Coordinates of all heavy atoms in Angstrom, one line a residue:
M121 N 8.6 -11.9 7.2 CA 7.7 -11.9 6.1 C 7.8 -13.2 5.3 O 8.9 -13.6 5.1 CB 7.8 -10.7 5.2 CG 7.3 -9.4 5.7 SD 7.4 -8.1 4.5 CE 6.9 -6.7 5.5
T122 N 6.7 -13.7 4.8 CA 6.8 -14.8 3.9 C 7.3 -14.5 2.5 O 7.3 -13.3 2.2 CB 5.4 -15.5 3.8 OG1 4.5 -14.6 3.2 CG2 4.8 -15.8 5.2
T123 N 7.6 -15.5 1.8 CA 8.1 -15.2 0.4 C 7.0 -14.4 -0.4 O 7.4 -13.5 -1.1 CB 8.4 -16.5 -0.3 OG1 9.4 -17.2 0.5 CG2 8.9 -16.3 -1.7
N124 N 5.8 -14.8 -0.3 CA 4.7 -14.1 -1.1 C 4.6 -12.7 -0.6 O 4.5 -11.8 -1.4 CB 3.4 -14.8 -1.0 CG 3.3 -16.1 -1.8 OD1 4.1 -16.2 -2.8 ND2 2.4 -16.9 -1.5
L125 N 4.7 -12.5 0.7 CA 4.6 -11.2 1.3 C 5.8 -10.3 0.9 O 5.6 -9.1 0.6 CB 4.4 -11.2 2.8 CG 3.9 -10.0 3.4 CD1 2.6 -9.5 2.9 CD2 3.8 -10.2 4.9
E126 N 7.0 -10.9 0.8 CA 8.1 -10.2 0.3 C 7.9 -9.7 -1.1 O 8.3 -8.6 -1.5 CB 9.4 -11.0 0.4 CG 10.0 -11.0 1.8 CD 10.5 -9.7 2.2 OE1 11.0 -8.9 1.4 OE2 10.4 -9.4 3.4
K127 N 7.3 -10.6 -2.0 CA 7.1 -10.2 -3.4 C 6.1 -9.1 -3.4 O 6.2 -8.1 -4.2 CB 6.6 -11.4 -4.1 CG 7.6 -12.5 -4.4 CD 7.0 -13.6 -5.1 CE 8.1 -14.7 -5.3 NZ 7.5 -15.9 -6.0
I128 N 5.1 -9.1 -2.6 CA 4.1 -8.0 -2.5 C 4.8 -6.7 -2.1 O 4.5 -5.6 -2.7 CB 2.9 -8.4 -1.6 CG1 2.1 -9.5 -2.2 CG2 2.1 -7.1 -1.3 CD1 1.1 -10.1 -1.2
K129 N 5.6 -6.8 -1.1 CA 6.4 -5.6 -0.6 C 7.2 -5.1 -1.7 O 7.3 -3.8 -1.9 CB 7.2 -5.9 0.6 CG 7.9 -4.8 1.2 CD 8.7 -5.1 2.4 CE 9.5 -3.9 2.9 NZ 10.4 -4.3 4.0
E130 N 7.9 -5.9 -2.4 CA 8.8 -5.5 -3.5 C 8.0 -4.8 -4.6 O 8.4 -3.7 -5.2 CB 9.6 -6.7 -4.1 CG 10.6 -7.2 -3.2 CD 11.3 -8.5 -3.7 OE1 11.0 -8.9 -4.9 OE2 12.0 -9.1 -3.0
F131 N 6.8 -5.4 -5.0 CA 5.9 -4.8 -5.9 C 5.4 -3.4 -5.5 O 5.5 -2.4 -6.2 CB 4.7 -5.7 -6.2 CG 3.7 -5.1 -7.2 CD1 4.0 -5.1 -8.5 CD2 2.5 -4.6 -6.7 CE1 3.1 -4.6 -9.4 CE2 1.6 -4.1 -7.6 CZ 1.9 -4.1 -9.0
A132 N 5.0 -3.3 -4.2 CA 4.5 -2.1 -3.7 C 5.6 -1.0 -3.7 O 5.4 0.2 -4.0 CB 4.0 -2.3 -2.3
T133 N 6.8 -1.4 -3.3 CA 8.0 -0.5 -3.3 C 8.2 0.0 -4.7 O 8.5 1.2 -4.9 CB 9.2 -1.2 -2.7 OG1 8.9 -1.6 -1.3 CG2 10.4 -0.3 -2.7
A134 N 8.2 -0.8 -5.7 CA 8.4 -0.4 -7.0 C 7.4 0.6 -7.5 O 7.7 1.6 -8.2 CB 8.5 -1.6 -8.0
Q135 N 6.1 0.3 -7.2 CA 5.0 1.2 -7.6 C 5.1 2.5 -6.9 O 4.8 3.6 -7.5 CB 3.7 0.5 -7.3 CG 3.4 -0.7 -8.1 CD 3.5 -0.5 -9.5 OE1 2.9 0.4 -10.1 NE2 4.2 -1.4 -10.2
M136 N 5.5 2.5 -5.6 CA 5.6 3.7 -4.8 C 6.8 4.6 -5.2 O 6.8 5.8 -4.9 CB 5.6 3.4 -3.3 CG 4.4 2.7 -2.8 SD 2.8 3.6 -3.1 CE 3.0 4.9 -1.9
A137 N 7.7 4.0 -5.9 CA 9.0 4.8 -6.3 C 8.6 5.9 -7.1 O 9.3 7.0 -7.1 CB 9.9 3.8 -7.0
E138 N 7.5 5.8 -7.9 CA 7.1 6.9 -8.8 C 6.5 8.1 -8.0 O 6.4 9.2 -8.5 CB 6.1 6.4 -9.8 CG 6.7 5.4 -10.7 CD 5.6 4.9 -11.7 OE1 4.6 5.6 -11.9 OE2 5.7 3.7 -12.1
N139 N 6.0 7.8 -6.8 CA 5.3 8.8 -6.0 C 6.2 9.8 -5.4 O 7.1 9.4 -4.6 CB 4.4 8.0 -4.9 CG 3.4 8.9 -4.4 OD1 3.4 10.1 -4.5 ND2 2.4 8.3 -3.7
K140 N 6.0 11.0 -5.7 CA 6.9 12.1 -5.2 C 6.3 12.7 -3.9 O 7.0 13.5 -3.2 CB 7.1 13.2 -6.2 CG 7.6 12.7 -7.5 CD 8.9 12.0 -7.4 CE 9.5 11.5 -8.7 NZ 10.2 10.2 -8.7
C141 N 5.1 12.3 -3.5 CA 4.5 12.9 -2.3 C 5.1 12.2 -1.1 O 4.9 11.0 -0.9 CB 3.0 12.7 -2.4 SG 2.1 13.2 -0.9
S142 N 5.7 13.0 -0.2 CA 6.3 12.4 1.0 C 5.3 11.9 2.0 O 5.6 11.1 2.8 CB 7.2 13.5 1.7 OG 6.5 14.6 2.1
A143 N 4.1 12.4 1.9 CA 3.0 11.9 2.8 C 2.5 10.5 2.4 O 1.9 9.8 3.2 CB 1.9 12.9 2.9
H144 N 2.7 10.1 1.1 CA 2.2 8.9 0.6 C 3.3 8.1 -0.1 O 3.1 7.7 -1.3 CB 1.0 9.1 -0.3 CG -0.2 9.5 0.5 ND1 -0.5 10.9 0.6 CD2 -1.1 8.8 1.3 CE1 -1.6 10.9 1.4 NE2 -2.0 9.7 1.8
N145 N 4.4 7.9 0.5 CA 5.5 7.2 -0.1 C 5.6 5.8 0.6 O 4.8 5.5 1.4 CB 6.8 8.0 0.0 CG 7.2 8.4 1.4 OD1 6.7 7.8 2.4 ND2 8.1 9.3 1.6
I146 N 6.7 5.1 0.3 CA 6.8 3.7 0.9 C 6.9 3.8 2.4 O 6.5 2.9 3.1 CB 8.0 2.9 0.2 CG1 7.9 1.4 0.5 CG2 9.3 3.5 0.5 CD1 6.6 0.7 0.1
E147 N 7.5 4.8 2.9 CA 7.6 4.9 4.4 C 6.2 5.0 5.0 O 6.0 4.4 6.0 CB 8.5 6.1 4.8 CG 10.0 5.9 4.6 CD 10.4 6.2 3.1 OE1 9.6 6.8 2.3 OE2 11.5 5.7 2.7
H148 N 5.3 5.7 4.3 CA 3.9 5.8 4.8 C 3.3 4.4 4.8 O 2.6 4.0 5.7 CB 3.1 6.8 3.9 CG 1.6 6.5 3.9 ND1 0.9 6.9 5.0 CD2 0.8 6.0 3.0 CE1 -0.4 6.6 4.7 NE2 -0.4 6.0 3.5
V149 N 3.5 3.7 3.7 CA 3.0 2.4 3.5 C 3.5 1.4 4.7 O 2.7 0.7 5.3 CB 3.3 1.8 2.2 CG1 2.9 0.3 2.1 CG2 2.5 2.5 1.1
L150 N 4.7 1.5 5.0 CA 5.3 0.7 6.0 C 4.8 1.1 7.4 O 4.6 0.2 8.3 CB 6.8 0.8 6.0 CG 7.4 0.2 4.7 CD1 8.9 0.4 4.7 CD2 7.0 -1.3 4.5
R151 N 4.5 2.4 7.6 CA 3.8 2.8 8.9 C 2.4 2.3 9.0 O 2.0 1.8 10.0 CB 3.8 4.4 9.0 CG 5.2 5.0 9.3 CD 5.0 6.5 9.6 NE 4.3 7.3 8.6 CZ 4.9 7.8 7.5 NH1 6.2 7.7 7.4 NH2 4.2 8.5 6.7
V152 N 1.7 2.3 7.8 CA 0.3 1.7 7.8 C 0.4 0.2 8.1 O -0.4 -0.3 8.9 CB -0.4 2.0 6.5 CG1 -1.6 1.2 6.3 CG2 -0.7 3.5 6.3
Y153 N 1.4 -0.4 7.5 CA 1.6 -1.9 7.7 C 1.8 -2.2 9.2 O 1.1 -3.0 9.8 CB 2.8 -2.4 6.9 CG 3.1 -3.8 7.1 CD1 2.4 -4.8 6.4 CD2 4.0 -4.2 8.1 CE1 2.7 -6.1 6.6 CE2 4.3 -5.5 8.3 CZ 3.7 -6.5 7.6 OH 4.0 -7.8 7.8
K154 N 2.7 -1.4 9.9 CA 2.9 -1.6 11.3 C 1.7 -1.4 12.1 O 1.4 -2.2 13.1 CB 4.1 -0.7 11.8 CG 5.4 -1.2 11.4 CD 6.4 -0.2 12.0 CE 7.8 -0.8 12.1 NZ 8.8 0.1 12.7
L155 N 1.0 -0.4 11.8 CA -0.3 0.0 12.5 C -1.3 -1.1 12.3 O -2.0 -1.6 13.3 CB -0.8 1.3 12.1 CG -2.1 1.8 12.8 CD1 -1.9 1.8 14.3 CD2 -2.5 3.1 12.3
A156 N -1.4 -1.6 11.1 CA -2.4 -2.7 10.8 C -2.1 -3.9 11.6 O -3.0 -4.6 12.1 CB -2.4 -3.0 9.3
M157 N -0.8 -4.3 11.7 CA -0.4 -5.4 12.5 C -0.7 -5.3 13.9 O -1.2 -6.2 14.6 CB 1.1 -5.7 12.3 CG 1.6 -6.0 10.9 SD 0.8 -7.4 10.2 CE -0.4 -6.6 9.2
K158 N -0.5 -4.1 14.4 CA -0.9 -3.8 15.8 C -2.4 -3.9 16.1 O -2.8 -4.5 17.0 CB -0.3 -2.5 16.3 CG -0.5 -2.1 17.7 CD 0.3 -1.0 18.1 CE 0.2 -0.7 19.6 NZ 0.8 -1.6 20.5
L159 N -3.2 -3.3 15.2 CA -4.6 -3.4 15.3 C -5.2 -4.8 15.2 O -6.2 -5.1 15.8 CB -5.3 -2.4 14.3 CG -5.0 -0.9 14.5 CD1 -5.6 -0.2 13.3 CD2 -5.7 -0.5 15.8
A160 N -4.5 -5.6 14.4 CA -5.0 -7.0 14.2 C -4.7 -7.9 15.3 O -5.2 -9.0 15.4 CB -4.4 -7.5 12.8
E161 N -3.8 -7.5 16.2 CA -3.4 -8.4 17.3 C -4.6 -8.8 18.1 O -5.4 -8.0 18.5 CB -2.4 -7.7 18.2 CG -1.0 -7.5 17.7 CD -0.1 -6.8 18.7 OE1 -0.5 -6.6 19.9 OE2 1.0 -6.4 18.2
G162 N -4.7 -10.2 18.3 CA -5.8 -10.7 19.1 C -7.2 -10.7 18.4 O -8.1 -11.1 19.0
E163 N -7.2 -10.3 17.1 CA -8.5 -10.3 16.4 C -8.5 -11.6 15.5 O -7.5 -12.1 15.2 CB -8.6 -9.1 15.5 CG -8.6 -7.7 16.2 CD -9.8 -7.6 17.1 OE1 -10.8 -8.1 16.8 OE2 -9.7 -6.9 18.1
N164 N -9.7 -12.0 15.2 CA -9.9 -13.2 14.4 C -10.0 -12.7 12.9 O -11.1 -12.5 12.4 CB -11.2 -13.9 14.8 CG -11.4 -15.2 14.0 OD1 -10.4 -15.7 13.5 ND2 -12.6 -15.6 13.9
V165 N -8.8 -12.4 12.3 CA -8.7 -11.9 11.0 C -7.7 -12.7 10.2 O -6.9 -13.4 10.7 CB -8.3 -10.4 10.9 CG1 -9.4 -9.6 11.6 CG2 -7.0 -10.2 11.6
D166 N -7.9 -12.7 8.9 CA -6.9 -13.3 8.0 C -5.7 -12.4 7.8 O -5.8 -11.4 7.1 CB -7.6 -13.6 6.6 CG -6.7 -14.4 5.7 OD1 -5.5 -14.3 5.8 OD2 -7.3 -15.1 4.8
M167 N -4.6 -12.7 8.5 CA -3.5 -11.9 8.5 C -2.8 -11.7 7.1 O -2.3 -10.7 6.8 CB -2.4 -12.4 9.5 CG -2.8 -12.3 10.9 SD -3.2 -10.5 11.4 CE -1.6 -9.8 11.3
D168 N -3.0 -12.7 6.3 CA -2.5 -12.6 4.9 C -3.2 -11.4 4.2 O -2.5 -10.7 3.4 CB -2.6 -13.9 4.1 CG -1.7 -15.0 4.6 OD1 -0.7 -14.7 5.2 OD2 -2.0 -16.2 4.3
V169 N -4.5 -11.3 4.4 CA -5.2 -10.3 3.7 C -4.9 -8.9 4.3 O -4.6 -7.9 3.6 CB -6.8 -10.5 3.9 CG1 -7.6 -9.3 3.4 CG2 -7.1 -11.8 3.1
I170 N -4.8 -8.8 5.6 CA -4.4 -7.6 6.3 C -3.0 -7.1 5.8 O -2.9 -5.9 5.5 CB -4.4 -7.7 7.8 CG1 -5.8 -8.2 8.3 CG2 -3.9 -6.5 8.5 CD1 -6.9 -7.2 8.1
E171 N -2.1 -8.0 5.8 CA -0.7 -7.6 5.4 C -0.7 -7.1 4.0 O -0.1 -6.1 3.7 CB 0.2 -8.8 5.6 CG 0.5 -9.2 7.1 CD 1.2 -10.4 7.3 OE1 1.0 -11.4 6.5 OE2 2.1 -10.4 8.2
A172 N -1.3 -7.9 3.1 CA -1.3 -7.5 1.7 C -2.0 -6.2 1.5 O -1.5 -5.3 0.7 CB -1.9 -8.6 0.8
A173 N -3.2 -6.0 2.1 CA -4.0 -4.8 1.9 C -3.2 -3.6 2.4 O -3.2 -2.5 1.8 CB -5.3 -4.9 2.7
A174 N -2.5 -3.7 3.5 CA -1.7 -2.6 4.1 C -0.6 -2.2 3.1 O -0.4 -1.0 2.9 CB -1.2 -3.0 5.5
L175 N 0.1 -3.2 2.6 CA 1.2 -2.9 1.7 C 0.7 -2.3 0.3 O 1.5 -1.6 -0.3 CB 2.0 -4.2 1.4 CG 2.8 -4.6 2.7 CD1 3.4 -6.0 2.4 CD2 3.9 -3.6 3.0
L176 N -0.5 -2.7 -0.1 CA -0.9 -2.3 -1.5 C -1.9 -1.2 -1.5 O -2.2 -0.7 -2.6 CB -1.5 -3.6 -2.2 CG -0.6 -4.8 -2.4 CD1 -1.4 -6.0 -2.9 CD2 0.5 -4.4 -3.3
H177 N -2.3 -0.7 -0.4 CA -3.4 0.3 -0.4 C -3.1 1.6 -1.2 O -4.1 2.2 -1.6 CB -3.8 0.6 1.1 CG -2.9 1.6 1.8 ND1 -1.7 1.3 2.4 CD2 -3.1 2.9 1.9 CE1 -1.2 2.4 2.9 NE2 -2.0 3.4 2.6
D178 N -1.9 2.0 -1.4 CA -1.7 3.3 -2.0 C -0.9 3.1 -3.3 O -0.4 4.1 -3.9 CB -0.8 4.2 -1.1 CG -1.7 5.2 -0.4 OD1 -2.9 5.3 -0.7 OD2 -1.2 5.8 0.6
I179 N -0.8 1.9 -3.9 CA 0.0 1.7 -5.1 C -0.5 2.5 -6.3 O 0.3 2.8 -7.2 CB 0.2 0.2 -5.5 CG1 -1.1 -0.4 -5.8 CG2 1.0 -0.5 -4.4 CD1 -1.0 -1.8 -6.3
G180 N -1.7 2.9 -6.3 CA -2.2 3.7 -7.4 C -2.1 5.3 -7.2 O -2.6 6.1 -8.0
R181 N -1.5 5.7 -6.1 CA -1.5 7.1 -5.8 C -0.8 7.9 -6.8 O -1.2 9.1 -7.1 CB -0.7 7.2 -4.4 CG -0.5 8.6 -4.0 CD -1.7 9.4 -3.6 NE -2.3 8.8 -2.4 CZ -3.3 9.5 -1.7 NH1 -3.8 10.6 -2.1 NH2 -3.8 8.9 -0.6
S182 N 0.3 7.4 -7.4 CA 1.0 8.3 -8.4 C 0.1 8.6 -9.6 O 0.2 9.7 -10.2 CB 2.3 7.6 -8.9 OG 2.1 6.4 -9.5
R183 N -0.8 7.6 -10.0 CA -1.7 7.9 -11.1 C -2.7 9.0 -10.8 O -3.0 9.8 -11.6 CB -2.4 6.6 -11.5 CG -1.5 5.6 -12.2 CD -2.2 4.5 -12.7 NE -1.3 3.3 -13.0 CZ -1.8 2.2 -13.4 NH1 -3.0 1.9 -13.6 NH2 -0.9 1.2 -13.7
E184 N -3.2 8.9 -9.5 CA -4.1 10.0 -9.1 C -3.4 11.4 -9.1 O -3.9 12.3 -9.6 CB -4.6 9.7 -7.7 CG -5.6 10.8 -7.2 CD -6.1 10.5 -5.8 OE1 -6.6 9.3 -5.6 OE2 -6.1 11.4 -5.0
D185 N -2.2 11.4 -8.6 CA -1.4 12.7 -8.5 C -1.1 13.2 -9.9 O -1.1 14.4 -10.1 CB -0.1 12.5 -7.7 CG -0.4 12.2 -6.3 OD1 -1.5 12.4 -5.8 OD2 0.6 11.7 -5.6
A186 N -0.9 12.3 -10.9 CA -0.6 12.7 -12.2 C -1.8 13.2 -13.0 O -1.7 13.9 -14.0 CB 0.1 11.6 -13.0
D187 N -3.0 12.9 -12.6 CA -4.2 13.2 -13.3 C -4.7 14.6 -12.8 O -5.3 14.8 -11.8 CB -5.3 12.2 -13.0 CG -6.7 12.5 -13.6 OD1 -6.7 13.5 -14.5 OD2 -7.7 11.9 -13.3
K188 N -4.5 15.6 -13.7 CA -4.8 17.0 -13.4 C -6.3 17.2 -13.5 O -6.8 18.3 -13.1 CB -4.0 17.9 -14.3 CG -2.5 17.8 -14.2 CD -2.0 17.9 -12.8 CE -0.5 17.7 -12.7 NZ -0.1 17.4 -11.4
T189 N -7.1 16.3 -14.0 CA -8.5 16.5 -14.1 C -9.2 16.2 -12.8 O -10.3 16.5 -12.6 CB -9.1 15.5 -15.2 OG1 -9.1 14.2 -14.7 CG2 -8.5 15.7 -16.5
G190 N -8.5 15.4 -11.9 CA -9.1 15.1 -10.6 C -10.1 13.9 -10.7 O -10.8 13.6 -9.7
K191 N -10.1 13.2 -11.8 CA -11.1 12.1 -12.0 C -10.6 10.8 -11.6 O -11.3 9.8 -11.5 CB -11.5 12.1 -13.5 CG -12.3 13.3 -13.9 CD -12.7 13.2 -15.4 CE -13.5 14.4 -15.8 NZ -13.8 14.4 -17.2
T192 N -9.3 10.7 -11.3 CA -8.7 9.4 -10.9 C -8.7 9.2 -9.4 O -8.3 10.1 -8.7 CB -7.2 9.3 -11.4 OG1 -7.2 9.4 -12.8 CG2 -6.6 8.0 -11.0
D193 N -9.2 8.1 -9.0 CA -9.3 7.8 -7.6 C -8.2 6.7 -7.3 O -8.3 5.6 -7.8 CB -10.7 7.3 -7.2 CG -10.8 6.9 -5.7 OD1 -9.8 6.8 -5.0 OD2 -12.0 6.9 -5.3
H194 N -7.2 7.0 -6.5 CA -6.1 6.1 -6.3 C -6.6 4.8 -5.6 O -6.1 3.7 -5.8 CB -5.0 6.7 -5.4 CG -5.2 6.7 -4.0 ND1 -6.0 7.7 -3.4 CD2 -4.8 5.9 -3.0 CE1 -6.0 7.5 -2.1 NE2 -5.3 6.4 -1.8
A195 N -7.7 4.9 -4.8 CA -8.2 3.7 -4.2 C -8.8 2.7 -5.2 O -8.5 1.5 -5.2 CB -9.3 4.0 -3.2
V196 N -9.4 3.2 -6.2 CA -10.0 2.4 -7.3 C -8.8 1.8 -8.2 O -8.7 0.6 -8.5 CB -10.9 3.2 -8.2 CG1 -11.3 2.4 -9.5 CG2 -12.2 3.6 -7.4
V197 N -7.9 2.7 -8.5 CA -6.7 2.3 -9.3 C -5.9 1.2 -8.5 O -5.5 0.2 -9.1 CB -5.8 3.5 -9.7 CG1 -4.5 3.0 -10.3 CG2 -6.5 4.4 -10.5
S198 N -5.7 1.4 -7.2 CA -4.9 0.5 -6.4 C -5.6 -0.9 -6.4 O -5.0 -1.9 -6.6 CB -4.8 1.0 -5.0 OG -4.0 2.1 -5.0
A199 N -6.9 -0.9 -6.3 CA -7.7 -2.2 -6.3 C -7.6 -2.9 -7.6 O -7.5 -4.1 -7.6 CB -9.2 -1.9 -5.9
E200 N -7.7 -2.1 -8.7 CA -7.6 -2.7 -10.0 C -6.2 -3.3 -10.3 O -6.1 -4.3 -10.9 CB -7.9 -1.6 -11.1 CG -9.3 -1.2 -11.1 CD -9.6 -0.1 -12.0 OE1 -8.7 0.6 -12.5 OE2 -10.8 0.2 -12.3
M201 N -5.2 -2.6 -9.7 CA -3.8 -3.1 -9.9 C -3.6 -4.4 -9.2 O -2.9 -5.3 -9.6 CB -2.8 -2.1 -9.5 CG -2.8 -0.8 -10.3 SD -1.7 0.5 -9.7 CE -0.1 -0.2 -9.9

């Protein structure tokens, strides 16, 4: 991983540390990352974008889980973060 990607991974790991859901923890994010890398093989895509998106896709999950009103969408929160 590049230096920037390592920083992204560290940020994602710190954000995911709050998440108590075993289905959406940092191990899930790393599985998604591996799958994204496999799917991107041989495709004409910007790998920097794919790598970052895979690592950051669930960083807002803990906010959604904490919202008992059900109004928080982790995808929106993750994108905003």
Side-chain angles (χ1 to χ4, degrees):
M121 284 189 186
T122 65
T123 302
N124 286 338
L125 197 57
E126 277 297 327
K127 289 178 184 177
I128 292 170
K129 183 180 176 188
E130 289 171 11
F131 177 76
T133 300
Q135 296 303 312
M136 298 301 291
E138 297 176 26
N139 196 341
K140 305 302 181 214
C141 175
S142 62
H144 290 97
N145 57 18
I146 193 62
E147 287 80 17
H148 159 73
V149 169
L150 296 176
R151 287 190 304 272
V152 168
Y153 177 86
K154 283 181 158 183
L155 181 58
M157 296 303 97
K158 184 166 182 71
L159 292 172
E161 286 178 12
E163 299 295 332
N164 185 22
V165 296
D166 185 335
M167 291 303 292
D168 290 337
V169 172
I170 300 296
E171 291 173 321
L175 291 171
L176 297 171
H177 79 278
D178 263 349
I179 61 173
R181 176 68 70 169
S182 62
R183 291 189 195 174
E184 179 179 310
D185 292 345
D187 178 9
K188 301 306 177 202
T189 69
K191 294 180 181 177
T192 301
D193 181 342
H194 81 279
V196 173
V197 172
S198 296
E200 289 171 350
M201 293 173 69

